Amino acid sequence: MFRQSKKRVSMRRNFGTEEVDVIQGSTEDERALYQRIYENKLSFYDVAPKGEITLEEFETWAIDRVKLLLEIESCLARNKTLAETEGIIKPLFKKFNIFNNMDNFEDRKKEYYSHFILRLCFCRSKELRDKFVRIETTLFRMRFNMLTSSDQTKFVKSLQLPSLQFIEEAEKETIATQLYQTISKDLQFNLNLADEQQRQLYFKNEKFIKLPFENVIELVGNRQVYLKDGYAYLPQFQQLNLIANEFSTKLQDELIKTYQYLPRLNEDDRLIPILNHLSSGYTIADAGSFDQFGNNQDNEINAKSVWSEDISKHYPLDVKNLFYGLKENAHLRYHGRQQLTLFLKGIGLSIDEAMKFWHDAFTRNNKMSTERFNKEYRYNIRHNYGLEGNRINYKPWDYRTILSKPRPNRGEYHGLPFRDWNRDKLTNELSKMGLTNQQITDVLDSCDRHEYTIALTKVFEMTHNVPENESMHITHPNLYFERSRQLEKKMKEMKEQKN
């Protein structure tokens, strides 16, 4: 699609004139750069990446980071705490092969480059910039908390921030009573130091930062810092708030600068399609899961079984709505047929079974003759399977694609119910699915904020009792189906082991 190859890319010199071995992946200067950047295992991304990468790496590295950020965004939308979010996201570091081994040069390079690539994608509007800063700052907080205490101290010193000036012990002694009274509750409830003697010992060894109160205004409002003469005294265990604010401010400024330089990329026909795709929201949360889509062992998925309770109970609400429309009318209009055909293809329905499925559905009760079906619909079904026309092997639609289609009119059943149904109809359906009034309100709130895939993910978690550490943002109907079946299989195996 982008006409890239390692040989072609190796002829380009976008980052300087020195010889760069793209296949080997680095120069000595490049290795030295990442060694210096990651000496403290965390970065403010102050220095631009150096060296060359292939176009394939440019795209795949960015996609992996977008997948990770989408999961973080999902956690934020569901009001997960930082600790809960960390528990969900940390296993994904290995899955997406990012932040997995920061002692490895290639991992460092991928992490650093992917951040700068996404700056190009998400600098284009204030909305995108704010979203990117919010999620990247959350990721920064998590990674900081995952460092050891000594690594945290080492990183903070390397920043050389003017606001990070620790007070002398003599000054601490003069206001020790006030400082201890201010942070005592945090020591007890946030750091789980229940014993007074433990809190006193922790306070004795704790360092404090003195800075203008406006730098930590959110902590002032929550009375988590001691104020005196216009200065706030910040305990070291609260320093992440200050550092995260600094990171957020710097990143916001850098995104604006990136936007100003963006027109220079307009002549590069290799990158613009990728950037446009990513900035529009690459929402296939698990593109790799396409490898498992269509796994139809023992012809389990066939024209008859797709109507059965054993299979249909795993359908998301949008697919159930399509089946309802097909059953009621013995017909679906174009967008509905496309959406359902590709979904069924994705779960493993073969072309022969698909033809039988649609033929039986459309000719039921003599609503349509076989001759008319073959004349008007056979070609389109074969085309979706890559057997006619340009023979493109079309993939099932993700929810970004579904939401990009026209909203359904009267008599149409495509789209996503979380966007297209009114509150009463959606409330009634969610109630039938067993959701409580509070859960329904939570889902509807997400719909009101136009967070439709977040609403769908919440429904999935509520109806499947998903463990906290197995939460995943559902952005594809086939992913919903596969995860539902996997969870059912896992529950059966657990029951068998107990018996």
Side-chain angles (χ1 to χ4, degrees):
M1 178 177 180
F2 300 107
R3 306 187 302 280
Q4 78 272 31
S5 69
K6 288 187 181 292
K7 182 177 180 181
R8 182 185 295 271
V9 174
S10 67
M11 299 298 293
R12 300 184 187 268
R13 293 291 176 261
N14 298 322
F15 298 91
T17 57
E18 72 270 26
E19 288 295 321
V20 180
D21 186 350
V22 176
I23 295 180
Q24 294 301 318
S26 70
T27 65
E28 288 303 316
D29 287 344
E30 190 180 355
R31 288 183 177 274
L33 172 67
Y34 293 116
Q35 177 64 35
R36 175 166 56 84
I37 289 172
Y38 287 100
E39 184 178 0
N40 301 306
K41 301 184 179 180
L42 203 57
S43 172
F44 261 28
Y45 305 100
D46 291 325
V47 184
K50 186 177 183 179
E52 291 199 357
I53 61 175
T54 66
L55 193 60
E56 180 183 1
E57 288 171 333
F58 183 95
E59 182 172 23
T60 57
W61 290 357
I63 287 173
D64 283 346
R65 195 178 188 105
V66 166
K67 292 175 186 175
L68 192 68
L69 298 187
L70 282 169
E71 295 299 335
I72 295 174
E73 182 185 24
S74 175
C75 291
L76 293 176
R78 288 175 286 161
N79 297 317
K80 302 291 185 183
T81 66
L82 191 63
E84 290 172 335
T85 302
E86 182 180 327
I88 294 169
I89 299 302
K90 192 174 180 180
L92 300 181
F93 289 172
K94 183 175 182 180
K95 178 178 179 180
F96 298 141
N97 194 27
I98 189 167
F99 309 114
N100 190 37
N101 180 12
M102 295 311 293
D103 292 328
N104 179 275
F105 167 72
E106 291 300 329
D107 284 5
R108 290 175 172 180
K109 184 175 178 179
K110 175 179 179 178
E111 191 280 317
Y112 206 71
Y113 254 104
S114 64
H115 171 86
F116 279 90
I117 295 169
L118 293 193
R119 284 190 184 185
L120 295 173
C121 299
F122 295 102
C123 70
R124 301 177 174 213
S125 70
K126 186 178 185 305
E127 180 182 1
L128 287 174
R129 289 193 294 269
D130 290 345
K131 176 180 179 179
F132 184 65
V133 169
R134 183 177 68 256
I135 302 173
E136 279 282 347
T137 302
T138 303
L139 178 60
F140 175 86
R141 284 176 175 270
M142 283 192 298
R143 294 181 63 205
F144 183 87
N145 284 336
M146 291 165 62
L147 296 177
T148 64
S149 179
S150 59
D151 284 336
Q152 288 180 354
T153 302
K154 186 178 179 182
F155 171 69
V156 172
K157 287 182 178 178
S158 73
L159 295 177
Q160 297 181 343
L161 298 176
S163 55
L164 280 173
Q165 300 299 323
F166 291 95
I167 64 174
E168 299 292 336
E169 193 65 29
E171 185 176 0
K172 177 183 174 182
E173 285 295 325
T174 61
I175 53 175
T177 302
Q178 295 91 328
L179 290 177
Y180 180 75
Q181 289 175 346
T182 303
I183 71 168
S184 180
K185 288 184 179 180
D186 283 334
L187 294 177
Q188 181 177 355
F189 297 110
N190 294 344
L191 300 185
N192 297 320
L193 300 177
D195 184 70
E196 174 66 19
Q197 189 174 356
Q198 286 181 314
R199 295 197 294 272
Q200 289 284 358
L201 181 61
Y202 189 98
F203 173 76
K204 182 179 180 180
N205 297 319
E206 182 71 342
K207 294 181 179 180
F208 284 81
I209 303 164
K210 181 180 179 180
L211 69 164
F213 76 92
E214 58 268 22
N215 288 20
V216 285
I217 198 70
E218 70 282 358
L219 296 180
V220 173
N222 294 329
R223 298 186 179 184
Q224 292 178 276
V225 290
Y226 174 63
L227 289 181
K228 182 182 178 183
D229 299 331
Y231 287 93
Y233 289 81
L234 183 74
Q236 188 174 10
F237 70 83
Q238 290 276 23
Q239 66 185 347
L240 179 54
N241 292 281
L242 176 63
I243 300 169
N245 286 344
E246 190 75 22
F247 176 85
S248 177
T249 301
K250 281 179 174 286
L251 181 55
Q252 189 73 253
D253 292 341
E254 290 300 321
L255 287 172
I256 294 174
K257 291 179 183 178
T258 304
Y259 177 68
Q260 293 169 346
Y261 285 102
L262 200 59
R264 297 186 182 185
L265 284 177
N266 286 341
E267 296 180 0
D268 196 328
D269 63 347
R270 303 167 301 156
L271 302 183
I272 293 302
I274 301 175
L275 297 178
N276 288 338
H277 183 51
L278 289 167
S279 62
S280 66
Y282 191 93
T283 56
I284 300 177
D286 189 2
S289 63
F290 275 118
D291 296 336
Q292 67 184 0
F293 289 176
N295 182 17
N296 186 13
Q297 298 179 348
D298 302 323
N299 198 31
E300 182 184 10
I301 307 295
N302 55 57
K304 184 177 180 181
S305 69
V306 293
W307 292 97
S308 69
E309 173 63 20
D310 285 345
I311 301 298
S312 64
K313 66 184 177 183
H314 301 294
Y315 294 159
L317 190 55
D318 49 289
V319 175
K320 291 180 178 179
N321 188 45
L322 288 165
F323 269 91
Y324 171 79
L326 183 58
K327 185 176 182 180
E328 285 291 302
N329 303 287
H331 189 266
L332 282 178
R333 296 182 187 176
Y334 175 74
H335 288 299
R337 293 198 307 273
Q338 292 292 98
Q339 185 174 334
L340 184 55
T341 297
L342 294 175
F343 170 82
L344 293 174
K345 175 187 175 184
I347 68 172
L349 191 68
S350 68
I351 178 59
D352 292 336
E353 291 297 318
M355 203 66 71
K356 187 174 186 302
F357 168 82
W358 287 106
H359 173 271
D360 291 348
F362 277 20
T363 59
R364 181 168 52 87
N365 298 330
N366 297 318
K367 289 286 185 76
M368 182 185 297
S369 67
T370 298
E371 182 181 1
R372 182 187 168 192
F373 173 82
N374 289 334
K375 182 179 180 180
E376 297 184 13
Y377 300 100
R378 181 182 176 85
Y379 177 90
N380 181 247
I381 297 168
R382 288 177 53 81
H383 185 270
N384 284 334
Y385 275 76
L387 300 175
E388 300 287 357
N390 292 330
R391 299 184 181 274
I392 298 172
N393 187 22
Y394 293 99
K395 291 181 178 180
W397 288 355
D398 61 19
Y399 284 119
R400 180 174 64 86
T401 303
I402 291 171
L403 291 169
S404 71
K405 302 301 179 183
R407 287 175 179 263
N409 293 316
R410 183 182 294 274
E412 293 183 315
Y413 296 87
H414 65 275
L416 184 59
F418 297 97
R419 178 196 65 178
D420 301 324
W421 288 3
N422 60 48
R423 291 179 69 91
D424 291 341
K425 183 175 181 180
L426 185 56
T427 297
N428 185 51
E429 188 62 34
L430 294 176
S431 180
K432 290 180 182 178
M433 296 172 70
L435 272 64
T436 65
N437 289 337
Q438 180 57 49
Q439 289 175 328
I440 292 173
T441 299
D442 193 17
V443 172
L444 293 177
D445 286 345
S446 293
C447 295
D448 291 340
R449 295 192 298 269
H450 307 294
E451 297 170 344
Y452 304 116
T453 57
I454 297 293
L456 180 140
T457 300
K458 289 178 178 179
V459 170
F460 182 89
E461 293 177 346
M462 293 166 183
T463 54
H464 289 75
N465 297 316
V466 179
E468 192 70 40
N469 62 344
E470 295 183 16
S471 177
M472 177 185 287
H473 189 188
I474 304 293
T475 56
H476 199 296
N478 291 78
L479 182 60
Y480 185 109
F481 178 82
E482 294 294 341
R483 287 214 69 215
S484 178
R485 298 186 81 193
Q486 289 169 5
L487 287 172
E488 181 184 58
K489 181 180 178 181
K490 184 177 179 180
M491 291 298 295
K492 286 182 179 178
E493 290 175 351
M494 290 174 62
K495 289 181 179 178
E496 289 175 359
Q497 290 175 359
K498 288 181 179 180
N499 295 333

